[in-house]
Amino acid sequence: MLQKTSLLFFLKKIWKRFPPGLRFWLLWVLSATCLDPRPTPTSTNSMAILGAFRSSSGLAQGARLYANRVEREGHTVIRVDITKAMVQQPTFSLEESGAISLEEFMSMKLPCILVIHANPPQFHLILFKLGKHFLHNKKIIGYWAWELAVVPDVWRHALQYLDAVEVPSSFVRDALQDCTDKEVVVVPHVLEAPKLHKTTFACGGIVRCLFMFDMGSSFARKNPVAALEAFRLAFRPGEAELTFKVSSSQADHDSFEKLKQGCAHVPGVRIITEVMDADALEELYLQHDIYLSLHRSEGYGLTIHEALLYGLHVVATGWSGNMDFMDAPKAHAVPYSLVPMQEKNGAFKGLKARWAEADVTAAAEILRKLRLEILAEDRPAV
């Protein structure tokens, strides 16, 4: 099993080096060979949510939230883990995730609606794994999150295998709408209000900032270096602290080392890489005062939304998916400029698109003002 997993990750690395045109051609050949055009699906109320439930990624959390919502709406829900099929490292066991394996699900042969929380080309991998006989007469919904206004050819190709498209934000809807005659429906993440809420700020007179991100979700897009620079410009030593909560640090070793070196030169900055359960993550949020995200683009911005619900101030780039909910009183949108994207690796390779470059100086000014406001609010009245 270990050798098989290692082989999958080796193949994933090779795949990332392929030119976009070659990737698209290979997927087109495999799709034509392994999958039928979509037949009319059978009607059913049962719903199978296919997601990386054993992973700690944002896509996995999105699948959990989706499953919880449709279950509350009265659907019969089966949670199906596709972490390994998506060539991702599992963090939790099947028992901890509350899901069943893909193999067990396929053996059940139940009529159901499939909602697949996997972006192309991982979406293609899931279809290949399921096979045309299993997929026959099943309604397929793709729940996709994309971070650019330009959509790759592989996404356009995958649309033909869907009966419906659902996305978390208006930003993603606008990107996909011109690629298909199918309706693209915005189904935002429904986050339950946390039991605990931030009430005390700047304990000990120190303002604490937080940013959480996954190294496997494009280091350049998450742009923690800009957050570090805004923090450095905003505060003098001893005034504030900054915590980076980093997942999948092994996914981009060189960039992670670059971040560590940068943090070592700024007082009050720490990096956390440990895996945290829901209780530990809640405590982490509540230990901080400001959530700082100077991302270049977000399909939704789940951690930004979570931070707002916990009562933190949020300083985030004023562009892309997070703008659907950045109207909260403690949300502070950072001005930006749209600049050409120059990614040469990963999912964005070869795309001619633009994304946001947050104004770091403006972000630092927002942080400085917030510190003064927080300290003034915390000071007892005379």
Side-chain angles (χ1 to χ4, degrees):
M1 180 61 70
L2 181 60
Q3 289 181 341
K4 182 179 179 181
T5 302
S6 299
L7 177 61
L8 286 173
F9 280 93
F10 174 71
L11 292 174
K12 183 179 179 181
K13 287 185 177 180
I14 294 178
W15 172 265
K16 287 183 176 180
R17 295 180 181 274
F18 284 172
L22 179 57
R23 293 184 190 180
F24 179 73
W25 181 82
L26 288 171
L27 286 172
W28 184 86
V29 170
L30 288 171
S31 300
T33 304
C34 301
L35 300 172
D36 288 331
R38 298 295 301 127
T40 302
T42 302
S43 179
T44 176
N45 191 48
S46 297
M47 189 173 290
I49 314 300
L50 280 65
F53 288 102
R54 296 179 62 192
S55 167
S56 57
S57 67
L59 274 177
Q61 181 62 4
R64 295 184 194 100
L65 293 170
Y66 190 101
N68 293 341
R69 178 183 60 80
V70 295
E71 203 165 44
R72 289 195 298 268
E73 293 173 352
H75 291 275
T76 300
V77 174
I78 305 170
R79 292 168 173 81
V80 183
D81 177 62
I82 54 173
T83 305
K84 288 189 176 180
M86 291 174 65
V87 198
Q88 292 189 3
Q89 288 282 10
T91 304
F92 313 108
S93 66
L94 276 176
E95 292 74 17
E96 290 172 326
S97 70
I100 63 173
S101 68
L102 187 60
E103 291 73 19
E104 181 181 350
F105 171 62
M106 292 176 65
S107 70
M108 296 166 68
K109 299 180 180 179
L110 297 174
C112 59
I113 300 168
L114 303 179
V115 185
I116 303 178
H117 286 250
N119 294 336
Q122 284 118 328
F123 172 81
H124 290 79
L125 293 177
I126 304 306
L127 295 190
F128 299 152
K129 184 73 174 178
L130 292 171
K132 61 183 179 181
H133 295 298
F134 182 86
L135 292 172
H136 187 70
N137 287 341
K138 287 187 172 65
K139 182 176 182 178
I140 299 178
I141 299 174
Y143 191 95
W144 291 350
W146 181 240
E147 295 91 8
L148 298 175
V150 177
V151 178
D153 287 340
V154 66
W155 285 60
R156 297 169 184 266
H157 173 261
L159 285 164
Q160 67 182 298
Y161 299 108
L162 296 176
D163 296 293
V165 190
E166 295 180 352
V167 297
S169 68
S170 57
F171 178 81
V172 185
R173 178 199 60 205
D174 294 345
L176 287 175
Q177 194 71 74
D178 294 336
C179 305
T180 179
D181 56 0
K182 298 169 185 174
E183 185 180 10
V184 182
V185 180
V186 176
V187 182
H189 298 305
V190 178
L191 285 76
E192 296 184 27
K195 295 179 181 178
L196 298 177
H197 194 265
K198 186 77 178 177
T199 56
T200 303
F201 291 80
C203 292
I206 298 174
V207 172
R208 293 169 175 85
C209 303
L210 171 67
F211 180 43
M212 299 193 291
F213 69 100
D214 192 313
M215 290 294 298
S217 296
S218 174
F219 183 83
R221 180 175 70 81
K222 292 296 186 179
N223 203 15
V225 174
L228 178 65
E229 178 63 8
F231 176 84
R232 186 189 69 81
L233 292 174
F235 305 117
R236 291 177 294 186
E239 290 183 343
E241 295 175 355
L242 172 61
T243 300
F244 287 114
K245 167 66 178 72
V246 182
S247 300
S248 307
S249 59
Q250 74 287 348
D252 188 347
H253 178 267
D254 292 344
S255 296
F256 184 60
E257 288 300 315
K258 174 184 175 182
L259 178 64
K260 288 199 299 183
Q261 292 171 13
C263 291
H265 294 91
V266 182
V269 181
R270 63 169 177 160
I271 298 176
I272 299 175
T273 58
E274 64 191 80
V275 176
M276 293 183 171
D277 60 20
D279 291 338
L281 283 173
E282 179 177 74
E283 184 178 353
L284 185 67
Y285 275 120
L286 295 174
Q287 288 172 348
H288 292 82
D289 308 301
I290 300 171
Y291 192 82
L292 177 60
S293 174
L294 298 188
H295 60 268
R296 291 188 168 101
S297 183
E298 287 284 4
Y300 185 79
L302 196 54
T303 57
I304 298 173
H305 197 174
E306 288 176 343
L308 285 170
L309 290 178
Y310 276 110
L312 278 71
H313 286 276
V314 165
V315 177
T317 310
W319 189 72
S320 64
N322 56 296
M323 294 310 292
D324 279 9
F325 53 83
M326 283 282 287
D327 54 354
K330 291 184 178 178
H332 311 271
V334 176
Y336 63 91
S337 300
L338 288 179
V339 300
M341 183 195 67
Q342 298 180 340
E343 284 291 89
K344 298 180 180 179
N345 298 297
F348 303 144
K349 183 178 181 179
L351 288 178
K352 294 181 179 180
R354 294 162 70 86
W355 59 10
E357 194 68 56
D359 186 331
V360 173
T361 303
E365 183 61 26
I366 293 172
L367 290 171
R368 277 193 293 270
K369 289 181 178 179
L370 272 179
R371 176 179 175 272
L372 295 176
E373 291 176 11
I374 289 172
L375 292 176
E377 291 173 0
D378 190 56
R379 190 177 300 131
V382 178

